[in-house]
Amino acid sequence: MTATVSPTVRLTVAQAVVRFLAQQWTERDGQRQKLFAGCFGIFGHGNVAGIGQALLQGELGDDSPGHDQHLPYVLARNEQAMVHTAVGYARQKDRLQTWACTASVGPGSTNMLTGAALATINRIPVLLLPSGTFATRVSGPVLQELEQPYAADVTVNDAFRPLSAFFDRVNRPEQLPSALLAAMRVLTDPAATGAVTIALPQDVQAEAFDWPVELFADRVWRVARPLPEAVDVADAAALVRSAARPFVVAGGGVHYSGAEDALRAFCEATGVPVGETQAGKGSLPHAHPQLMGAVGSTGTTASNALAAEADLVIGIGTRWSDFTTASRTAFQDKGVRFVNINVARFDAGKQAGLPVVADAREALTALTDALDGYAVDPAHRERQAALWRAWDEQVSAAYDPPAEVTSALAPGLLTQAEVLGVVNEQTDPRDVVLCAAGSMPGDLHKLWRVRDRKGYHVEYGYSCMGYEVPASIGIRLADPTRDVFAMVGDGGYLMMPTELVTAVQERVKVVVVLVQNHGFHSIGSLSESLGSQRFGTRYRYRDVRSGRLEGGPLPVDLAANARSLGAHVIEVHSRAELEQAVKEAKAAPADGGPVVIHVETDPTVHSPDSDSWWDVPVSAESELASTQEAYAAYVQHKARQRPLVGPAVGPAVDPLVGSEEG
């Protein structure tokens, strides 16, 4: 017999990568979309003649057999930033679409490390293609190559290993198909996704090989909705029925699953109140009777009061960060138990909870059916309403502060909460607010009134300064029908302003609200609370007499900086001017590029307090009275921490005395 020979096509490794990525699709609930919207990149030696050449060839039109698609390319200005842009895009697309990112050898590739960590921590899919030195080692050591005496096969790209959900290095063309297929498996797995890294040595990128044509056929990756086990649903329903004060913590998994309607149906049927994590904010719309707002260290007083009393906590799509649990002080009922609905078993097992490993929408639907006829006591609904009214009044006062607060400020100087209030009230429900680091994420978590399921985007898994501007581009690219408002302080802005140039280049309209408070507002407040007196957190001249950074404010003109990068800049000095600036930004052309609104605020006026805590250790020994006082307070808070290790199923046990509580 004559063996059948499969047809092949001769391409370089880089050309094969680009062609393969252009043919990948995802599908969920019958809806199909391209997995990769394109490729962000910055070229240098390592990828300019590999991935760069392949992208060029695709853009110019490769009419070879089987090739009818190319991968759009966007030039970025910073490698870390382009990963942030991809993450912002993927999150806005509910993790069903993303971008690839290519970088050159050495620092170009390692600049992506922070972005990789951010993506993996937040469980967001992004494909990283760092370039490597020579697989053949014929020219080593090459420019920017790391040499290690103990291991000849170690490169700087090995730093991606602990930061990636999947890592591979392609040293031979024959390895590429298995690497690509494994990468797609992880990118499209909601339980395992994150940064996926395929390291490509520069000589391998340019090497030609005869590839089987079927490698480049359209390939559809179905994003599954795992169903819950019936016994887990039954156990969870029994726990809910036995609880007097159940409480839901809604995490990002609610959004990624599209489970908002299922959560709403569950809450309206049962009356169980809901607190939201940063990623889960917007799971219910503002003013829904069961919505108690943010929970944890940056939570509302309403949500945290109910969390403290809860005898059962139902976590939905949350990874239970320390901000959500207020460093395990939020849940104070002695017999509190947990039910964890999560597509990832790793997260479902936390807090010693009953794991319901399933898609959030499917699990909530099943649990609602199993609880037919159940509802909390009407008095509990009344308590929810009273707690929420009290908190919402505080928000209104923070949005429009009384005269005694504003009169104490410099003329025209706004509070940060007032800035958030103006933007919240002047924007449309479908507009997206974006933030990542500093004091604003906490204020947004507490104060922002979300009116659309995709209207709130705060990156608080890695809380990375500099995320805001590039991620806003990703969100706008993902949905050009929404205006995006990136809220960023001067500290975060100075970390990564360069992607404004990318927004100008691509004519992407994003609105950056640049809040100038002359320092690290959040860390300054934290430093003060820990007894460190805001040391090293102010942007000040060094005083010539004391030698300390306690002189006058630096003459940095961030508005001029943004203007020099090509953005349209609006400087405001009053509430009325800010209101008009937001309207002007909204009216700007859709293809007009970035708009920056510059506003100065008073960093000493704080938003309403959460009545909560975050565990940051304080020096146990100090000569400073401020530190001694802070340590005494720290010891008191530590005494309230809970181990949260009791089993979810079985009789509740008082951890202090060991007696059954029924």
Side-chain angles (χ1 to χ4, degrees):
M1 295 180 60
T2 302
T4 302
V5 178
S6 299
T8 62
V9 56
R10 191 162 184 82
L11 302 168
T12 67
V13 168
Q15 291 162 3
V17 168
V18 170
R19 184 171 297 191
F20 176 89
L21 297 182
Q23 306 305 125
Q24 305 307 301
W25 299 74
T26 60
E27 180 183 278
R28 188 174 71 176
D29 300 336
Q31 296 295 315
R32 183 178 297 189
Q33 49 275 312
K34 283 279 192 180
L35 174 55
F36 294 99
C39 182
F40 295 115
I42 298 177
F43 295 128
H45 77 287
N47 67 342
V48 66
I51 295 292
Q53 188 279 338
L55 290 167
L56 169 66
Q57 184 167 297
E59 187 172 294
L60 293 179
D62 182 349
D63 58 0
S64 59
H67 182 72
D68 57 359
Q69 298 285 339
H70 76 283
L71 204 61
Y73 168 72
V74 171
L75 168 64
R77 267 69 195 172
N78 179 284
E79 291 88 356
Q80 178 189 144
M82 67 189 184
V83 183
H84 294 335
T85 304
V87 168
Y89 184 98
R91 177 171 164 180
Q92 193 68 16
K93 288 290 190 177
D94 289 331
R95 307 191 298 189
L96 298 174
Q97 290 181 277
T98 188
W99 287 68
C101 298
T102 177
S104 60
V105 167
S109 289
T110 55
N111 279 349
M112 296 195 295
L113 290 170
T114 296
L118 182 145
T120 300
I121 286 171
N122 285 285
R123 320 289 205 263
I124 303 295
V126 59
L127 178 63
L128 307 181
L129 302 172
S131 298
T133 51
F134 284 77
T136 58
R137 305 178 191 168
V138 296
S139 299
V142 302
L143 179 66
Q144 299 175 332
E145 178 177 357
L146 171 72
E147 290 185 283
Q148 290 288 9
Y150 64 84
D153 63 340
V154 172
T155 78
V156 295
N157 289 341
D158 286 285
F160 285 95
R161 290 180 182 272
L163 307 178
S164 301
F166 175 80
F167 176 92
D168 199 359
R169 178 183 287 113
V170 176
N171 285 316
R172 292 294 309 138
E174 293 89 342
Q175 297 170 343
L176 183 65
S178 64
L180 289 172
L181 293 171
M184 299 309 109
R185 169 185 58 81
V186 176
L187 287 168
T188 58
D189 183 345
T193 197
V196 167
T197 302
I198 300 179
L200 298 169
Q202 59 179 310
D203 52 343
V204 176
Q205 286 189 42
E207 187 172 346
F209 189 74
D210 293 317
W211 308 93
V213 294
E214 58 261 35
L215 179 64
F216 308 110
D218 277 7
R219 201 176 301 266
V220 179
W221 302 85
R222 185 167 291 116
V223 179
R225 291 191 179 276
L227 299 177
E229 294 285 343
V231 65
D232 292 335
V233 174
D235 283 349
L239 285 170
V240 175
R241 290 183 181 277
S242 69
R245 299 172 302 279
F247 182 75
V248 164
V249 173
V254 174
H255 290 309
Y256 302 140
S257 172
E260 295 88 355
D261 289 343
L263 175 62
R264 186 170 188 159
F266 171 83
C267 294
E268 291 175 354
T270 63
V272 176
V274 175
E276 300 167 306
T277 71
Q278 282 281 18
K281 192 169 173 71
S283 295
L284 291 177
H286 174 71
H288 187 281
Q290 269 64 63
L291 177 62
M292 298 295 106
V295 67
S297 298
T298 53
T300 70
T301 52
S303 192
N304 284 342
L306 293 170
E309 301 168 359
D311 54 356
L312 178 72
V313 181
I314 306 167
I316 307 172
T318 176
R319 64 189 188 94
W320 291 116
S321 78
D322 62 342
F323 260 72
T324 299
T325 68
S327 300
R328 295 194 176 180
T329 63
F331 310 108
Q332 285 296 311
D333 184 87
K334 292 179 180 179
V336 64
R337 309 185 197 198
F338 291 81
V339 172
N340 297 324
I341 297 172
N342 206 297
V343 72
R345 186 171 293 277
F346 174 74
D347 292 318
K350 293 177 179 176
Q351 318 288 48
L354 170 69
V356 180
V357 182
D359 173 80
R361 190 189 74 180
E362 300 304 313
L364 275 170
T365 300
L367 184 58
T368 303
D369 291 343
L371 288 170
D372 185 37
Y374 165 84
V376 301
D377 190 279
H380 195 45
R381 290 183 187 254
E382 293 172 6
R383 175 161 169 71
Q384 296 171 38
L387 287 169
W388 178 254
R389 280 195 302 271
W391 172 256
D392 207 36
E393 289 172 1
Q394 291 191 62
V395 175
S396 295
Y399 274 11
D400 190 7
E404 56 266 27
V405 173
T406 56
S407 63
L409 305 178
L413 210 58
L414 305 178
T415 68
Q416 182 164 284
E418 193 175 4
V419 171
L420 300 186
V422 169
V423 177
N424 200 177
E425 292 166 354
Q426 295 297 322
T427 51
D428 295 334
R430 293 186 72 256
D431 292 344
V432 182
V433 67
L434 165 69
C435 195
S439 59
M440 273 191 289
D443 286 354
L444 286 164
H445 196 205
K446 289 184 290 187
L447 305 179
W448 193 265
R449 292 164 169 166
V450 181
R451 298 158 288 172
D452 182 88
R453 66 175 291 267
K454 299 302 288 186
Y456 184 88
H457 185 120
V458 172
E459 188 285 297
Y460 219 59
Y462 211 38
S463 186
C464 185
M465 296 177 71
Y467 175 83
E468 296 90 346
V469 173
S472 69
I473 298 172
I475 296 170
R476 179 71 179 187
L477 289 173
D479 190 348
T481 68
R482 298 174 186 260
D483 281 330
V484 184
F485 285 78
M487 311 295 298
V488 60
D490 50 333
Y493 174 83
L494 285 168
M495 291 280 182
M496 199 77 68
T498 52
E499 293 312 295
L500 285 174
V501 180
T502 303
V504 172
Q505 164 191 289
E506 299 297 323
R507 298 181 175 86
V508 175
K509 177 189 173 184
V510 294
V511 183
V512 178
V513 181
L514 174 50
V515 177
Q516 168 69 277
N517 52 44
H518 302 286
F520 297 126
H521 185 188
S522 173
I523 297 303
S525 298
L526 178 64
S527 172
E528 190 170 46
S529 71
L530 301 179
S532 296
Q533 304 175 16
R534 294 181 176 262
F535 175 73
T537 64
R538 299 183 182 94
Y539 290 171
R540 295 290 188 271
Y541 279 109
R542 187 172 299 281
D543 187 85
V544 294
R545 289 172 294 181
S546 68
R548 303 185 65 200
L549 295 175
E550 56 184 12
L554 302 177
V556 177
D557 191 340
L558 297 183
N561 173 265
R563 195 174 288 113
S564 75
L565 297 176
H568 172 58
V569 178
I570 310 170
E571 298 184 64
V572 302
H573 305 92
S574 68
R575 182 187 183 98
E577 289 181 1
L578 178 58
E579 291 174 349
Q580 183 58 38
V582 174
K583 293 176 182 178
E584 181 180 337
K586 287 281 299 171
D591 59 354
V595 178
V596 174
I597 300 174
H598 182 279
V599 56
E600 191 163 355
T601 63
D602 187 335
T604 64
V605 179
H606 301 286
S607 298
D609 189 42
S610 291
D611 292 341
S612 193
W613 182 63
W614 182 38
D615 189 351
V616 179
V618 181
S619 296
E621 186 67 31
S622 175
E623 298 176 357
L624 302 177
S626 59
T627 307
Q628 294 168 6
E629 293 170 5
Y631 182 71
Y634 179 73
V635 171
Q636 292 178 346
H637 283 295
K638 287 289 286 184
R640 300 182 68 249
Q641 276 187 316
R642 305 284 303 282
L644 301 179
V645 295
V649 179
V653 177
D654 185 332
L656 300 180
V657 299
S659 62
E660 291 189 0
E661 297 184 340

